[in-house]
Amino acid sequence: MPDPDRARLYEELALESRRYLAAYVLFNQAVADHLGLHPTDVQALSLLTAGPEPLTVRQLADRTGLTTGSATRLVDRLERGGYVARTPDRQDRRRVLVTPVPERIARVTALWDDLGSTWQTLLDDHSEDELRAITRHMRRAHDLSHTQIQRLRAMPEPD
């Protein structure tokens, strides 16, 4: 027999997750509007600066769900804005890497730093164990999201 208290918690969590995700999307839109960028451009910059290595256009397309043509246009916009540069891959000269331009990325980072201190206060009253649990949840949600994205892409489109 399912635990009714746990079921209520799942229901509350599902509702708050929907609200959180909607708020994040709208926040991302506001950041993009402030910077004069498209929301997908902001997320692409986040992906390009989150890892230790630059990405190819193909990798960026795979991670964003864009076609390679759309990802190329996205990189074109970011390159025109001075946010990225296309650089040859030293290991494979046939490949081109999309490399963030630190001086221009600093513009985005300054905004995140300004807004980030306020966001940090959300976490200030959590114990280290709670912070580890939140981090573990976010990491697992990230991984599950990628699995679900692949699943969705493989499904036939609804009528």
mmCIF file of all heavy atoms in Angstrom, residues 100-147:
data_model
loop_
_atom_site.group_PDB
_atom_site.id
_atom_site.type_symbol
_atom_site.label_atom_id
_atom_site.label_comp_id
_atom_site.label_asym_id
_atom_site.label_seq_id
_atom_site.Cartn_x
_atom_site.Cartn_y
_atom_site.Cartn_z
ATOM 1 N N PRO A 100 34.895 29.879 -26.512
ATOM 2 C CA PRO A 100 34.430 31.129 -25.909
ATOM 3 C C PRO A 100 35.540 32.183 -25.888
ATOM 4 O O PRO A 100 36.713 31.860 -25.707
ATOM 5 C CB PRO A 100 34.052 30.727 -24.481
ATOM 6 C CG PRO A 100 33.894 29.242 -24.517
ATOM 7 C CD PRO A 100 34.807 28.751 -25.597
ATOM 8 N N VAL A 101 35.170 33.433 -26.098
ATOM 9 C CA VAL A 101 36.112 34.552 -26.040
ATOM 10 C C VAL A 101 36.010 35.142 -24.623
ATOM 11 O O VAL A 101 34.989 35.758 -24.291
ATOM 12 C CB VAL A 101 35.790 35.612 -27.117
ATOM 13 C CG1 VAL A 101 36.703 36.819 -26.982
ATOM 14 C CG2 VAL A 101 35.893 34.993 -28.512
ATOM 15 N N PRO A 102 37.040 34.934 -23.797
ATOM 16 C CA PRO A 102 36.949 35.313 -22.380
ATOM 17 C C PRO A 102 36.540 36.763 -22.126
ATOM 18 O O PRO A 102 35.728 37.029 -21.241
ATOM 19 C CB PRO A 102 38.357 35.042 -21.844
ATOM 20 C CG PRO A 102 38.931 34.028 -22.771
ATOM 21 C CD PRO A 102 38.314 34.309 -24.121
ATOM 22 N N GLU A 103 37.052 37.676 -22.918
ATOM 23 C CA GLU A 103 36.739 39.093 -22.688
ATOM 24 C C GLU A 103 35.243 39.373 -22.883
ATOM 25 O O GLU A 103 34.650 40.164 -22.151
ATOM 26 C CB GLU A 103 37.564 40.004 -23.614
ATOM 27 C CG GLU A 103 39.058 39.895 -23.431
ATOM 28 C CD GLU A 103 39.667 38.673 -24.122
ATOM 29 O OE1 GLU A 103 39.036 38.117 -25.049
ATOM 30 O OE2 GLU A 103 40.764 38.255 -23.704
ATOM 31 N N ARG A 104 34.647 38.730 -23.865
ATOM 32 C CA ARG A 104 33.225 38.954 -24.146
ATOM 33 C C ARG A 104 32.350 38.137 -23.194
ATOM 34 O O ARG A 104 31.289 38.585 -22.778
ATOM 35 C CB ARG A 104 32.928 38.600 -25.609
ATOM 36 C CG ARG A 104 31.571 39.030 -26.063
ATOM 37 C CD ARG A 104 31.448 40.544 -26.083
ATOM 38 N NE ARG A 104 30.250 40.914 -26.816
ATOM 39 C CZ ARG A 104 29.540 41.982 -26.565
ATOM 40 N NH1 ARG A 104 29.907 42.816 -25.626
ATOM 41 N NH2 ARG A 104 28.473 42.246 -27.284
ATOM 42 N N ILE A 105 32.815 36.940 -22.854
ATOM 43 C CA ILE A 105 32.087 36.101 -21.899
ATOM 44 C C ILE A 105 32.039 36.796 -20.544
ATOM 45 O O ILE A 105 31.088 36.618 -19.774
ATOM 46 C CB ILE A 105 32.743 34.711 -21.785
ATOM 47 C CG1 ILE A 105 32.610 33.940 -23.100
ATOM 48 C CG2 ILE A 105 32.168 33.910 -20.625
ATOM 49 C CD1 ILE A 105 31.196 33.604 -23.512
ATOM 50 N N ALA A 106 33.029 37.634 -20.259
ATOM 51 C CA ALA A 106 33.065 38.369 -18.989
ATOM 52 C C ALA A 106 31.805 39.220 -18.818
ATOM 53 O O ALA A 106 31.355 39.442 -17.691
ATOM 54 C CB ALA A 106 34.322 39.229 -18.913
ATOM 55 N N ARG A 107 31.239 39.681 -19.928
ATOM 56 C CA ARG A 107 29.998 40.470 -19.876
ATOM 57 C C ARG A 107 28.865 39.637 -19.287
ATOM 58 O O ARG A 107 28.094 40.104 -18.445
ATOM 59 C CB ARG A 107 29.653 40.940 -21.287
ATOM 60 C CG ARG A 107 28.358 41.680 -21.426
ATOM 61 C CD ARG A 107 28.175 42.113 -22.891
ATOM 62 N NE ARG A 107 27.005 42.954 -23.018
ATOM 63 C CZ ARG A 107 25.992 42.700 -23.838
ATOM 64 N NH1 ARG A 107 26.029 41.648 -24.622
ATOM 65 N NH2 ARG A 107 24.965 43.511 -23.895
ATOM 66 N N VAL A 108 28.765 38.385 -19.718
ATOM 67 C CA VAL A 108 27.730 37.483 -19.217
ATOM 68 C C VAL A 108 28.058 37.091 -17.774
ATOM 69 O O VAL A 108 27.181 37.088 -16.907
ATOM 70 C CB VAL A 108 27.609 36.236 -20.116
ATOM 71 C CG1 VAL A 108 26.542 35.294 -19.606
ATOM 72 C CG2 VAL A 108 27.336 36.639 -21.561
ATOM 73 N N THR A 109 29.319 36.790 -17.524
ATOM 74 C CA THR A 109 29.747 36.385 -16.184
ATOM 75 C C THR A 109 29.484 37.487 -15.166
ATOM 76 O O THR A 109 29.049 37.213 -14.043
ATOM 77 C CB THR A 109 31.245 36.006 -16.205
ATOM 78 O OG1 THR A 109 31.440 34.970 -17.172
ATOM 79 C CG2 THR A 109 31.712 35.525 -14.846
ATOM 80 N N ALA A 110 29.714 38.729 -15.548
ATOM 81 C CA ALA A 110 29.466 39.857 -14.631
ATOM 82 C C ALA A 110 27.995 39.913 -14.254
ATOM 83 O O ALA A 110 27.655 40.157 -13.085
ATOM 84 C CB ALA A 110 29.910 41.165 -15.273
ATOM 85 N N LEU A 111 27.123 39.666 -15.226
ATOM 86 C CA LEU A 111 25.692 39.661 -14.924
ATOM 87 C C LEU A 111 25.350 38.512 -13.983
ATOM 88 O O LEU A 111 24.647 38.690 -12.990
ATOM 89 C CB LEU A 111 24.875 39.565 -16.219
ATOM 90 C CG LEU A 111 23.357 39.525 -16.049
ATOM 91 C CD1 LEU A 111 22.847 40.802 -15.376
ATOM 92 C CD2 LEU A 111 22.694 39.327 -17.405
ATOM 93 N N TRP A 112 25.885 37.309 -14.292
ATOM 94 C CA TRP A 112 25.635 36.157 -13.422
ATOM 95 C C TRP A 112 26.183 36.408 -12.020
ATOM 96 O O TRP A 112 25.547 36.044 -11.034
ATOM 97 C CB TRP A 112 26.259 34.889 -13.997
ATOM 98 C CG TRP A 112 25.461 34.292 -15.110
ATOM 99 C CD1 TRP A 112 25.863 34.129 -16.402
ATOM 100 C CD2 TRP A 112 24.130 33.782 -15.054
ATOM 101 N NE1 TRP A 112 24.862 33.559 -17.144
ATOM 102 C CE2 TRP A 112 23.788 33.325 -16.343
ATOM 103 C CE3 TRP A 112 23.188 33.661 -14.042
ATOM 104 C CZ2 TRP A 112 22.554 32.764 -16.636
ATOM 105 C CZ3 TRP A 112 21.953 33.102 -14.337
ATOM 106 C CH2 TRP A 112 21.651 32.662 -15.616
ATOM 107 N N ASP A 113 27.359 36.994 -11.923
ATOM 108 C CA ASP A 113 27.938 37.281 -10.604
ATOM 109 C C ASP A 113 27.065 38.251 -9.830
ATOM 110 O O ASP A 113 26.846 38.093 -8.631
ATOM 111 C CB ASP A 113 29.359 37.842 -10.739
ATOM 112 C CG ASP A 113 30.365 36.798 -11.189
ATOM 113 O OD1 ASP A 113 30.024 35.592 -11.183
ATOM 114 O OD2 ASP A 113 31.483 37.188 -11.558
ATOM 115 N N ASP A 114 26.554 39.277 -10.521
ATOM 116 C CA ASP A 114 25.694 40.261 -9.881
ATOM 117 C C ASP A 114 24.412 39.601 -9.367
ATOM 118 O O ASP A 114 23.984 39.844 -8.242
ATOM 119 C CB ASP A 114 25.377 41.387 -10.866
ATOM 120 C CG ASP A 114 24.512 42.461 -10.246
ATOM 121 O OD1 ASP A 114 24.783 42.865 -9.100
ATOM 122 O OD2 ASP A 114 23.555 42.899 -10.911
ATOM 123 N N LEU A 115 23.805 38.765 -10.197
ATOM 124 C CA LEU A 115 22.571 38.090 -9.808
ATOM 125 C C LEU A 115 22.832 36.900 -8.882
ATOM 126 O O LEU A 115 21.982 36.560 -8.050
ATOM 127 C CB LEU A 115 21.825 37.606 -11.053
ATOM 128 C CG LEU A 115 21.387 38.692 -12.035
ATOM 129 C CD1 LEU A 115 20.892 38.065 -13.329
ATOM 130 C CD2 LEU A 115 20.324 39.580 -11.415
ATOM 131 N N GLY A 116 24.005 36.305 -9.012
ATOM 132 C CA GLY A 116 24.318 35.079 -8.276
ATOM 133 C C GLY A 116 24.360 35.230 -6.771
ATOM 134 O O GLY A 116 23.985 34.307 -6.039
ATOM 135 N N SER A 117 24.808 36.372 -6.291
ATOM 136 C CA SER A 117 24.892 36.531 -4.839
ATOM 137 C C SER A 117 23.502 36.438 -4.215
ATOM 138 O O SER A 117 23.334 35.896 -3.119
ATOM 139 C CB SER A 117 25.560 37.854 -4.485
ATOM 140 O OG SER A 117 24.822 38.942 -5.012
ATOM 141 N N THR A 118 22.488 36.936 -4.893
ATOM 142 C CA THR A 118 21.127 36.832 -4.387
ATOM 143 C C THR A 118 20.650 35.382 -4.424
ATOM 144 O O THR A 118 20.035 34.899 -3.481
ATOM 145 C CB THR A 118 20.176 37.723 -5.209
ATOM 146 O OG1 THR A 118 20.695 39.050 -5.224
ATOM 147 C CG2 THR A 118 18.782 37.725 -4.634
ATOM 148 N N TRP A 119 20.961 34.689 -5.520
ATOM 149 C CA TRP A 119 20.587 33.273 -5.611
ATOM 150 C C TRP A 119 21.281 32.464 -4.528
ATOM 151 O O TRP A 119 20.717 31.502 -4.007
ATOM 152 C CB TRP A 119 20.933 32.704 -6.991
ATOM 153 C CG TRP A 119 20.045 33.215 -8.080
ATOM 154 C CD1 TRP A 119 20.338 34.188 -8.987
ATOM 155 C CD2 TRP A 119 18.705 32.810 -8.362
ATOM 156 N NE1 TRP A 119 19.271 34.406 -9.813
ATOM 157 C CE2 TRP A 119 18.252 33.579 -9.454
ATOM 158 C CE3 TRP A 119 17.851 31.877 -7.798
ATOM 159 C CZ2 TRP A 119 16.987 33.424 -10.001
ATOM 160 C CZ3 TRP A 119 16.585 31.729 -8.347
ATOM 161 C CH2 TRP A 119 16.166 32.500 -9.431
ATOM 162 N N GLN A 120 22.505 32.836 -4.188
ATOM 163 C CA GLN A 120 23.278 32.114 -3.175
ATOM 164 C C GLN A 120 22.548 32.085 -1.833
ATOM 165 O O GLN A 120 22.631 31.113 -1.093
ATOM 166 C CB GLN A 120 24.659 32.764 -3.011
ATOM 167 C CG GLN A 120 25.564 32.077 -2.015
ATOM 168 C CD GLN A 120 25.996 30.706 -2.464
ATOM 169 O OE1 GLN A 120 26.302 30.514 -3.641
ATOM 170 N NE2 GLN A 120 25.998 29.745 -1.558
ATOM 171 N N THR A 121 21.803 33.145 -1.529
ATOM 172 C CA THR A 121 21.106 33.194 -0.240
ATOM 173 C C THR A 121 20.075 32.068 -0.108
ATOM 174 O O THR A 121 19.737 31.687 1.017
ATOM 175 C CB THR A 121 20.412 34.563 -0.020
ATOM 176 O OG1 THR A 121 19.429 34.751 -1.035
ATOM 177 C CG2 THR A 121 21.423 35.697 -0.025
ATOM 178 N N LEU A 122 19.587 31.532 -1.231
ATOM 179 C CA LEU A 122 18.665 30.396 -1.172
ATOM 180 C C LEU A 122 19.314 29.174 -0.525
ATOM 181 O O LEU A 122 18.632 28.326 0.039
ATOM 182 C CB LEU A 122 18.200 30.007 -2.572
ATOM 183 C CG LEU A 122 17.253 30.940 -3.302
ATOM 184 C CD1 LEU A 122 17.036 30.441 -4.721
ATOM 185 C CD2 LEU A 122 15.947 31.064 -2.558
ATOM 186 N N LEU A 123 20.627 29.090 -0.632
ATOM 187 C CA LEU A 123 21.343 27.908 -0.146
ATOM 188 C C LEU A 123 21.999 28.115 1.213
ATOM 189 O O LEU A 123 22.455 27.150 1.834
ATOM 190 C CB LEU A 123 22.410 27.503 -1.171
ATOM 191 C CG LEU A 123 21.882 27.210 -2.574
ATOM 192 C CD1 LEU A 123 23.037 26.997 -3.541
ATOM 193 C CD2 LEU A 123 20.953 26.004 -2.564
ATOM 194 N N ASP A 124 22.041 29.346 1.671
ATOM 195 C CA ASP A 124 22.790 29.665 2.890
ATOM 196 C C ASP A 124 22.308 28.924 4.130
ATOM 197 O O ASP A 124 23.105 28.622 5.014
ATOM 198 C CB ASP A 124 22.779 31.174 3.157
ATOM 199 C CG ASP A 124 23.709 31.937 2.233
ATOM 200 O OD1 ASP A 124 24.549 31.296 1.552
ATOM 201 O OD2 ASP A 124 23.574 33.174 2.156
ATOM 202 N N ASP A 125 21.025 28.623 4.218
ATOM 203 C CA ASP A 125 20.527 27.972 5.435
ATOM 204 C C ASP A 125 20.519 26.447 5.349
ATOM 205 O O ASP A 125 20.013 25.777 6.232
ATOM 206 C CB ASP A 125 19.136 28.498 5.805
ATOM 207 C CG ASP A 125 18.080 28.179 4.762
ATOM 208 O OD1 ASP A 125 18.450 27.869 3.611
ATOM 209 O OD2 ASP A 125 16.882 28.248 5.107
ATOM 210 N N HIS A 126 21.116 25.893 4.291
ATOM 211 C CA HIS A 126 21.198 24.438 4.154
ATOM 212 C C HIS A 126 22.500 23.910 4.764
ATOM 213 O O HIS A 126 23.555 24.546 4.652
ATOM 214 C CB HIS A 126 21.142 24.021 2.680
ATOM 215 C CG HIS A 126 19.805 24.225 2.057
ATOM 216 N ND1 HIS A 126 18.714 23.434 2.339
ATOM 217 C CD2 HIS A 126 19.359 25.137 1.163
ATOM 218 C CE1 HIS A 126 17.670 23.848 1.649
ATOM 219 N NE2 HIS A 126 18.034 24.887 0.924
ATOM 220 N N SER A 127 22.407 22.727 5.359
ATOM 221 C CA SER A 127 23.596 22.065 5.894
ATOM 222 C C SER A 127 24.439 21.540 4.731
ATOM 223 O O SER A 127 23.964 21.467 3.586
ATOM 224 C CB SER A 127 23.191 20.910 6.801
ATOM 225 O OG SER A 127 22.628 19.855 6.012
ATOM 226 N N GLU A 128 25.664 21.145 5.031
ATOM 227 C CA GLU A 128 26.516 20.573 3.981
ATOM 228 C C GLU A 128 25.905 19.291 3.422
ATOM 229 O O GLU A 128 25.981 19.038 2.221
ATOM 230 C CB GLU A 128 27.926 20.330 4.521
ATOM 231 C CG GLU A 128 28.694 21.614 4.747
ATOM 232 C CD GLU A 128 30.115 21.384 5.230
ATOM 233 O OE1 GLU A 128 30.625 20.243 5.144
ATOM 234 O OE2 GLU A 128 30.713 22.368 5.693
ATOM 235 N N ASP A 129 25.279 18.477 4.287
ATOM 236 C CA ASP A 129 24.625 17.260 3.810
ATOM 237 C C ASP A 129 23.466 17.593 2.868
ATOM 238 O O ASP A 129 23.265 16.920 1.857
ATOM 239 C CB ASP A 129 24.110 16.414 4.985
ATOM 240 C CG ASP A 129 25.236 15.673 5.699
ATOM 241 O OD1 ASP A 129 26.326 15.513 5.105
ATOM 242 O OD2 ASP A 129 25.008 15.256 6.852
ATOM 243 N N GLU A 130 22.705 18.625 3.188
ATOM 244 C CA GLU A 130 21.621 19.035 2.312
ATOM 245 C C GLU A 130 22.155 19.560 0.987
ATOM 246 O O GLU A 130 21.598 19.265 -0.077
ATOM 247 C CB GLU A 130 20.758 20.103 2.993
ATOM 248 C CG GLU A 130 19.923 19.566 4.143
ATOM 249 C CD GLU A 130 19.231 20.664 4.928
ATOM 250 O OE1 GLU A 130 19.808 21.754 5.095
ATOM 251 O OE2 GLU A 130 18.098 20.417 5.381
ATOM 252 N N LEU A 131 23.240 20.328 1.031
ATOM 253 C CA LEU A 131 23.838 20.824 -0.211
ATOM 254 C C LEU A 131 24.331 19.673 -1.075
ATOM 255 O O LEU A 131 24.170 19.696 -2.299
ATOM 256 C CB LEU A 131 24.974 21.798 0.091
ATOM 257 C CG LEU A 131 24.556 23.133 0.707
ATOM 258 C CD1 LEU A 131 25.791 23.946 1.087
ATOM 259 C CD2 LEU A 131 23.659 23.916 -0.222
ATOM 260 N N ARG A 132 24.910 18.655 -0.438
ATOM 261 C CA ARG A 132 25.340 17.475 -1.197
ATOM 262 C C ARG A 132 24.130 16.768 -1.821
ATOM 263 O O ARG A 132 24.189 16.312 -2.959
ATOM 264 C CB ARG A 132 26.135 16.524 -0.306
ATOM 265 C CG ARG A 132 27.583 16.937 -0.107
ATOM 266 C CD ARG A 132 28.410 15.830 0.538
ATOM 267 N NE ARG A 132 28.409 15.855 1.980
ATOM 268 C CZ ARG A 132 29.054 16.733 2.752
ATOM 269 N NH1 ARG A 132 29.775 17.673 2.210
ATOM 270 N NH2 ARG A 132 28.990 16.657 4.052
ATOM 271 N N ALA A 133 23.018 16.688 -1.077
ATOM 272 C CA ALA A 133 21.808 16.047 -1.605
ATOM 273 C C ALA A 133 21.245 16.851 -2.781
ATOM 274 O O ALA A 133 20.822 16.270 -3.790
ATOM 275 C CB ALA A 133 20.759 15.904 -0.500
ATOM 276 N N ILE A 134 21.237 18.167 -2.663
ATOM 277 C CA ILE A 134 20.751 19.011 -3.760
ATOM 278 C C ILE A 134 21.650 18.842 -4.984
ATOM 279 O O ILE A 134 21.161 18.698 -6.116
ATOM 280 C CB ILE A 134 20.684 20.491 -3.316
ATOM 281 C CG1 ILE A 134 19.600 20.674 -2.260
ATOM 282 C CG2 ILE A 134 20.428 21.407 -4.525
ATOM 283 C CD1 ILE A 134 19.660 22.016 -1.540
ATOM 284 N N THR A 135 22.948 18.842 -4.772
ATOM 285 C CA THR A 135 23.900 18.667 -5.872
ATOM 286 C C THR A 135 23.714 17.305 -6.528
ATOM 287 O O THR A 135 23.687 17.195 -7.765
ATOM 288 C CB THR A 135 25.339 18.832 -5.367
ATOM 289 O OG1 THR A 135 25.476 20.132 -4.789
ATOM 290 C CG2 THR A 135 26.353 18.648 -6.489
ATOM 291 N N ARG A 136 23.564 16.267 -5.702
ATOM 292 C CA ARG A 136 23.350 14.914 -6.239
ATOM 293 C C ARG A 136 22.057 14.878 -7.058
ATOM 294 O O ARG A 136 22.029 14.336 -8.158
ATOM 295 C CB ARG A 136 23.300 13.908 -5.086
ATOM 296 C CG ARG A 136 23.181 12.466 -5.541
ATOM 297 C CD ARG A 136 23.242 11.462 -4.376
ATOM 298 N NE ARG A 136 22.175 11.691 -3.406
ATOM 299 C CZ ARG A 136 22.344 12.141 -2.155
ATOM 300 N NH1 ARG A 136 23.554 12.433 -1.710
ATOM 301 N NH2 ARG A 136 21.317 12.315 -1.353
ATOM 302 N N HIS A 137 20.997 15.488 -6.533
ATOM 303 C CA HIS A 137 19.727 15.522 -7.262
ATOM 304 C C HIS A 137 19.889 16.251 -8.606
ATOM 305 O O HIS A 137 19.416 15.761 -9.631
ATOM 306 C CB HIS A 137 18.648 16.215 -6.424
ATOM 307 C CG HIS A 137 17.432 16.535 -7.219
ATOM 308 N ND1 HIS A 137 16.484 15.595 -7.552
ATOM 309 C CD2 HIS A 137 17.020 17.693 -7.808
ATOM 310 C CE1 HIS A 137 15.551 16.155 -8.292
ATOM 311 N NE2 HIS A 137 15.843 17.424 -8.464
ATOM 312 N N MET A 138 20.546 17.388 -8.597
ATOM 313 C CA MET A 138 20.701 18.154 -9.842
ATOM 314 C C MET A 138 21.530 17.368 -10.852
ATOM 315 O O MET A 138 21.219 17.373 -12.053
ATOM 316 C CB MET A 138 21.312 19.519 -9.543
ATOM 317 C CG MET A 138 20.338 20.390 -8.757
ATOM 318 S SD MET A 138 20.932 22.046 -8.513
ATOM 319 C CE MET A 138 20.209 22.810 -9.958
ATOM 320 N N ARG A 139 22.574 16.699 -10.382
ATOM 321 C CA ARG A 139 23.404 15.892 -11.295
ATOM 322 C C ARG A 139 22.579 14.760 -11.884
ATOM 323 O O ARG A 139 22.622 14.502 -13.098
ATOM 324 C CB ARG A 139 24.612 15.345 -10.529
ATOM 325 C CG ARG A 139 25.637 14.667 -11.420
ATOM 326 C CD ARG A 139 26.889 14.252 -10.641
ATOM 327 N NE ARG A 139 27.583 15.440 -10.154
ATOM 328 C CZ ARG A 139 27.812 15.700 -8.847
ATOM 329 N NH1 ARG A 139 27.419 14.868 -7.910
ATOM 330 N NH2 ARG A 139 28.458 16.786 -8.488
ATOM 331 N N ARG A 140 21.790 14.086 -11.050
ATOM 332 C CA ARG A 140 20.968 12.980 -11.530
ATOM 333 C C ARG A 140 19.866 13.493 -12.468
ATOM 334 O O ARG A 140 19.552 12.850 -13.465
ATOM 335 C CB ARG A 140 20.385 12.214 -10.351
ATOM 336 C CG ARG A 140 21.475 11.454 -9.586
ATOM 337 C CD ARG A 140 20.964 10.832 -8.306
ATOM 338 N NE ARG A 140 20.004 9.787 -8.595
ATOM 339 C CZ ARG A 140 19.218 9.243 -7.669
ATOM 340 N NH1 ARG A 140 19.277 9.649 -6.422
ATOM 341 N NH2 ARG A 140 18.379 8.298 -8.004
ATOM 342 N N ALA A 141 19.283 14.651 -12.153
ATOM 343 C CA ALA A 141 18.259 15.242 -13.016
ATOM 344 C C ALA A 141 18.858 15.604 -14.370
ATOM 345 O O ALA A 141 18.217 15.407 -15.415
ATOM 346 C CB ALA A 141 17.639 16.459 -12.338
ATOM 347 N N HIS A 142 20.078 16.127 -14.371
ATOM 348 C CA HIS A 142 20.777 16.447 -15.619
ATOM 349 C C HIS A 142 20.926 15.191 -16.469
ATOM 350 O O HIS A 142 20.587 15.173 -17.655
ATOM 351 C CB HIS A 142 22.144 17.056 -15.299
ATOM 352 C CG HIS A 142 23.034 17.194 -16.475
ATOM 353 N ND1 HIS A 142 23.930 16.212 -16.848
ATOM 354 C CD2 HIS A 142 23.168 18.187 -17.380
ATOM 355 C CE1 HIS A 142 24.577 16.599 -17.925
ATOM 356 N NE2 HIS A 142 24.131 17.791 -18.279
ATOM 357 N N ASP A 143 21.426 14.125 -15.851
ATOM 358 C CA ASP A 143 21.639 12.879 -16.586
ATOM 359 C C ASP A 143 20.321 12.295 -17.094
ATOM 360 O O ASP A 143 20.230 11.852 -18.242
ATOM 361 C CB ASP A 143 22.371 11.861 -15.706
ATOM 362 C CG ASP A 143 23.787 12.304 -15.357
ATOM 363 O OD1 ASP A 143 24.332 13.232 -16.007
ATOM 364 O OD2 ASP A 143 24.355 11.730 -14.400
ATOM 365 N N LEU A 144 19.293 12.302 -16.245
ATOM 366 C CA LEU A 144 17.995 11.787 -16.657
ATOM 367 C C LEU A 144 17.407 12.633 -17.787
ATOM 368 O O LEU A 144 16.807 12.098 -18.723
ATOM 369 C CB LEU A 144 17.027 11.739 -15.468
ATOM 370 C CG LEU A 144 15.619 11.238 -15.783
ATOM 371 C CD1 LEU A 144 15.636 9.827 -16.361
ATOM 372 C CD2 LEU A 144 14.751 11.302 -14.535
ATOM 373 N N SER A 145 17.602 13.931 -17.715
ATOM 374 C CA SER A 145 17.103 14.807 -18.780
ATOM 375 C C SER A 145 17.684 14.403 -20.125
ATOM 376 O O SER A 145 16.965 14.340 -21.126
ATOM 377 C CB SER A 145 17.456 16.275 -18.489
ATOM 378 O OG SER A 145 16.712 16.748 -17.416
ATOM 379 N N HIS A 146 18.978 14.121 -20.154
ATOM 380 C CA HIS A 146 19.601 13.715 -21.415
ATOM 381 C C HIS A 146 19.021 12.395 -21.910
ATOM 382 O O HIS A 146 18.776 12.229 -23.112
ATOM 383 C CB HIS A 146 21.119 13.653 -21.280
ATOM 384 C CG HIS A 146 21.744 14.999 -21.269
ATOM 385 N ND1 HIS A 146 21.938 15.748 -22.401
ATOM 386 C CD2 HIS A 146 22.179 15.763 -20.251
ATOM 387 C CE1 HIS A 146 22.472 16.902 -22.096
ATOM 388 N NE2 HIS A 146 22.626 16.943 -20.792
ATOM 389 N N THR A 147 18.779 11.469 -21.004
ATOM 390 C CA THR A 147 18.172 10.197 -21.386
ATOM 391 C C THR A 147 16.762 10.422 -21.931
ATOM 392 O O THR A 147 16.385 9.859 -22.970
ATOM 393 C CB THR A 147 18.122 9.245 -20.168
ATOM 394 O OG1 THR A 147 19.455 9.024 -19.710
ATOM 395 C CG2 THR A 147 17.466 7.924 -20.523
#
